[in-house]
Amino acid sequence: MMKDMKQLPFEKQTEAERQKIVWEWKELRGFLEEQEQWLLSWLEELERAIVHRRDEGICNLSWEISLLSEMGGEKGQQPLSQSLQVRLLLQ
């Protein structure tokens, strides 16, 4: 019986420590899930910005090709835009 009395506080302390660890891990998981969502949102926004800039670049390049084609056609020369069109397709 004396042994049971000594074990009781130890068991309570162990159970309290276990509950504390479980609570801390739940908190950490919650924090990490919030960070994951924030980072995924940020990555999505970054991807949209990259696509937008790429599309702007393609649009500007197409405009330049068109302009150069017109200029080449006016002089009766082979349009310089063919090499630029290849560059556009490779992007």
Side-chain angles (χ1 to χ4, degrees), residues 28-67:
L28 183 57
R29 271 195 289 290
F31 171 76
L32 290 175
E33 287 174 3
E34 287 176 14
Q35 290 298 305
E36 178 186 26
Q37 290 305 312
W38 182 84
L39 288 170
L40 289 173
S41 295
W42 177 77
L43 185 59
E44 204 173 286
E45 188 62 35
L46 182 60
E47 185 177 17
R48 278 194 291 268
I50 289 170
V51 167
H52 179 72
R53 295 218 32 204
R54 181 202 63 201
D55 292 347
E56 281 182 338
I58 290 172
C59 184
N60 288 339
L61 191 55
S62 292
W63 179 79
E64 290 175 12
I65 289 170
S66 175
L67 186 62

Side-chain angles (χ1 to χ4, degrees), residues 3 9-10 12 18 22 30 37 47 52 55 57 65 82 89:
K3 186 177 182 181
F10 176 72
K12 285 183 179 179
R18 185 187 75 73
V22 168
Q37 290 305 312
E47 185 177 17
H52 179 72
D55 292 347
I65 289 170
Q82 288 177 351
L89 290 175

Side-chain angles (χ1 to χ4, degrees), residues 1-39:
M1 184 147 195
M2 185 67 131
K3 186 177 182 181
D4 291 339
M5 297 284 285
K6 287 183 179 179
Q7 254 183 343
L8 191 59
F10 176 72
E11 289 173 359
K12 285 183 179 179
Q13 183 181 2
T14 303
E15 178 62 22
E17 192 64 28
R18 185 187 75 73
Q19 289 178 0
K20 179 183 170 190
I21 290 170
V22 168
W23 179 81
E24 288 174 348
W25 276 102
K26 283 182 182 179
E27 288 290 311
L28 183 57
R29 271 195 289 290
F31 171 76
L32 290 175
E33 287 174 3
E34 287 176 14
Q35 290 298 305
E36 178 186 26
Q37 290 305 312
W38 182 84
L39 288 170

